[in-house]
Amino acid sequence: MINTDFFSEWRPNNSPKLLDLLDDTVPGIGTYEDFNTIDWVREKSKDRDRHREITNKSKQSTVALLFSISDAFSGWLLMLLIGLMSGALAGGIDIAAHWMTDLKEGVCLNGFWFNHEHCCWASNETTFQERDKCPQWKSWAELMVGVSEGPGLYVVNYFMYMCWALLFAFLAVILVRAFAPYACGSGIPEIKTILSGFIIRGYLGKWTLIIKTITLVLAVSSGLSLGKEGPLVHVACCCANVLCHFFTKYRRNEAKRREVLSAASAVGVSVAFGAPIGGVLFSLEEVSYYFPLKTLWRSFFAALVAAFTLRSINPFGNSRLVLFYVEFHTPWHLLELIPFVLLGIFGGLWGAFFIRANIAWCRLRKNTCLGHYPVLEVVVVTLLTAFLAFPIEYTRMSSSELISELFNDCGLLDSSKLCCYTSNSGSASGSVNATAANGLGARLVGPDLYTAMWQLALALLLKMIFTVVTFGMKVPSGLFIPSMAVGAIAGRLLGVCMEQLAIRHHEGDIFRGWCSPGADCITPGLYAMVGAAACLGGVTRMTVSLVVIMFELTGGLEYIVPLMAAAMTSKWVADALGRESIYEAHIRLNGYPFLEAKEEFRHKTLATDVMQPRRGDPLLSVLTESRMTVEEVERLIADTTYSGFPVVISQQSPRLVGFVLRRDLVISLENARRNQEGVVSMSPILFTECDPPMSPSAPPAVKLRSILDLSPFTVTVHTPMEIVVDIFRKLGLRQCLVIQNGRLLGIITKKDILKHMAQMANRDPDSILFN
């Protein structure tokens, strides 16, 4: 921890003014360079000192008291602004994506800005059986060649569908490549890394926010197998980062800013799924590195404001926050836990397969010439996706509409093929006739449902393949919706099979009492919902937050147990095949310095096995507290790339004094040369409290004790690495000094720990790219 008590001015009589960092803070001191890790301990210490100073001054005047009140209220005001801004952007994205998705199939004559559903709402000529057809909505074939049926209609619509998809995807990748390269992908792996203390300049900037918002609409509308839910977390964090610059408390303190970003992650999930509580739990369980109780309250408030804003905009026109809100009314049976667990097993297998296949594909993209042609890759994948998706109804529609269709509980007024049951099975078996006699035959599979089942099976295969290839391309791409779509398809298929099994054997020992006249035996939509949760859990390894999100989606308390069973089974199966979630796998693929809190360190190594320098390496680069000149320090900085230097008494007596950061040292020396009179290359550098004796002709000294951390964290050479890793995780350290009897022997950085852990896991230690 930085001790501020030593900040004092030392100015002997008749000597030039020395550098004083207390009364006149040097710009840049305490800031960090790009691709570096923040010092959590120093940042928290700075915030405590600032708060203590404001509290003391508030007792002296009314103006200071008002400033203290406004400072305390600023956090809540910032949460309010983040919620309003994120909710408004999410509503705009939902409306634009819905309209542009329908634009691929046709246009509304009453106004081109109406999507298909809104266009037909005002029509008096819409029939219930064909509610999606109205004279005001024209397909491209009807507009361009004037045909309303026949092969010409299909061919022209097929061609226009592919052209619009290619145009949207091409615009998305070009905008990302030209204006904001950080706007691609999901953003959650990088946000997890940033919340752990890493600096990635521009990743949450205003240009990234603008381009990500625009290209997210384009990417979703193109029909690629991706979702907008993950990128909405990135968009919310960009909003938070931009708004933080208007509040001094958060602009100048990286640790405080990360508390705001944790709350913004909750806001992103809140507007993505209409699940404020699930968003808070998602931030706590999956994303955040440091989550104090105060952040929990503020996250809840921000998520509430965002959900209220989105509800006010009402982007889907159904007074709901999401497109696939459903309500089930049929209770589930205890024995149904068996198929629910089977869906959990499928979700775990899918999650493990997807992570391995996607990482292998991304590694191939990274290490081959494929990575040099991102625009061509996006265009080719979009072309293949559109070409194969159009012939199948369930891949042609957007993933959100598909999930809504699969979640749907068939009622008397539904015209979907998935609800096309028949009362005459065409069979002469006694069981079927008895079923029909009991009034249960109305739920037997009809010809249209058979067709829909085969189409869903083919859609499942295509969704799996395209999701593996699409995630990681240079366009905004979320993973929540594609994973849920895979699980929802599998769940609906299993649900229909279970339903038919129960109907045909309703008098058997297992299914007796499940079916009653006028009521559903089994709800296939419930199986789709459980399957969606299982597959999403297998990919992301979420548990508690996932169940709450799905509960908030459906509004049914009685289905929590099936969701819990599927989510937990999915996590167990996926963890048995690989411990990493997709986000952690991408963090490791990109080489970000992220210490995963869930990963245990089981190796019996000591600090001396990891510290630098090793035996045979050059000696540790150090500064002495009083015997080095400006020229020597500047030469040491130029010859090394280290982020900081230990300060010792002398080279002969390497007793530890403190630690100074490279950036602070460079800025202080530049400021001293520019502003302090008489400083030359031979001027001594002093980290001491008292000025040592100097000859009258000696140049003036540069006193830098104020930038010295006098209490750096230290361990001994015999400290187990298990404890060292725990210290780094819980305190967010950048480095730790290794001493023995007060003598400095070495240093352990976060990068050294990550390399050591990779080596112990038989991975390439040089895959850790950043300092």
Side-chain angles (χ1 to χ4, degrees), residues 107-143:
V107 68
C108 184
L109 298 182
N110 288 346
F112 71 91
W113 55 87
F114 289 121
N115 61 38
H116 193 169
E117 186 179 11
H118 290 173
C119 184
C120 292
W121 270 357
S123 175
N124 296 323
E125 304 175 47
T126 305
T127 62
F128 183 79
Q129 287 74 18
E130 296 182 336
R131 68 190 75 174
D132 59 338
K133 294 182 181 179
C134 61
Q136 290 79 12
W137 179 265
K138 297 292 184 182
S139 68
W140 291 109
E142 292 174 313
L143 284 173

Side-chain angles (χ1 to χ4, degrees), residues 342-386:
L342 290 177
L343 285 175
I345 293 172
F346 171 78
L349 294 174
W350 154 249
F353 162 76
F354 172 78
I355 292 170
R356 292 190 180 185
N358 180 253
I359 292 299
W361 179 257
C362 290
R363 189 172 283 117
L364 178 70
R365 179 192 293 127
K366 193 175 183 179
N367 298 330
T368 63
C369 61
L370 180 64
H372 299 152
Y373 305 100
V375 178
L376 181 62
E377 181 192 8
V378 171
V379 169
V380 170
V381 172
T382 306
L383 183 65
L384 289 174
T385 303

Side-chain angles (χ1 to χ4, degrees), residues 547-558:
V547 171
V548 173
I549 287 171
M550 298 304 294
F551 155 63
E552 289 186 90
L553 281 180
T554 59
L557 271 171
E558 58 185 313

Side-chain angles (χ1 to χ4, degrees), residues 201-212:
R201 300 283 181 208
Y203 197 83
L204 302 176
K206 57 182 181 298
W207 270 109
T208 304
L209 172 62
I210 295 170
I211 299 302
K212 185 109 182 182

Side-chain angles (χ1 to χ4, degrees), residues 232-263:
L232 276 176
V233 175
H234 188 186
V235 168
C237 287
C238 288
C239 294
N241 187 65
V242 170
L243 291 171
C244 276
H245 286 84
F246 296 100
F247 297 83
T248 306
K249 178 167 67 173
Y250 298 102
R251 183 176 69 247
R252 294 183 178 178
N253 194 294
E254 294 289 348
K256 295 294 290 181
R257 191 184 304 183
R258 274 152 182 75
E259 293 180 20
V260 175
L261 295 179
S262 292

